[in-house]
Amino acid sequence: MASEPDAAPVRVAFRLRVKPDMLDEYMRRHDPVWPEMLEEIAASGRRNYSIFHVGGGELVGFYETDDDAASQAYLAASEVAARWEAEMAPFFVAQEGRADQNAQTFPEVFHLESQLRAARARD
């Protein structure tokens, strides 16, 4: 989905599960993430990117982008991302393929700023 000028970014929430016995090592490898991988994520158009541990090895992540399909395609073609995802693959429970391409995503239900903007436009 291409972004029009002043269009709101696409907000993506996702979930992954890490093997609980590997969680400490997974977290260690994210502090810090390889600098070249950080640059690839940014170059893909993803921003405001966070991953949260919600307990028991379950991770919930969030990022914004102007075009999620283009972001995914960029990372799918990235040699750096392929190396990172290969290193991370053993940590995940029941993950088909690369996590950056196949994580379970969720529809957005509510976004404060979008609803405020719409409500103020009606006034």
Side-chain angles (χ1 to χ4, degrees), residues 8-107:
V10 176
R11 290 173 294 278
V12 178
F14 61 91
R15 176 173 56 193
L16 296 165
R17 293 195 57 100
V18 171
K19 297 171 185 170
D21 62 324
M22 297 182 78
L23 181 61
D24 288 343
E25 179 63 15
Y26 177 86
M27 293 173 84
R28 188 190 67 72
R29 293 199 191 183
H30 281 76
D31 187 23
V33 169
W34 304 341
E36 61 271 28
M37 185 59 194
L38 298 173
E39 293 296 339
E40 284 295 80
I41 293 168
S44 79
R46 292 181 182 182
R47 59 190 178 276
N48 198 21
Y49 195 135
S50 295
I51 299 174
F52 304 89
H53 178 233
V54 297
E58 186 166 359
L59 305 172
V60 174
F62 172 85
Y63 61 87
E64 296 175 328
T65 186
D66 294 325
D67 185 336
D68 196 37
S71 174
Q72 285 190 338
Y74 181 94
L75 291 172
S78 165
E79 291 181 22
V80 171
R83 282 190 292 118
W84 174 262
E85 293 299 334
E87 292 245 346
M88 294 298 105
F91 292 91
F92 297 115
V93 174
Q95 179 64 44
E96 295 289 325
R98 285 176 40 174
D100 67 331
Q101 300 295 307
N102 297 303
Q104 181 182 12
T105 60
F106 304 96

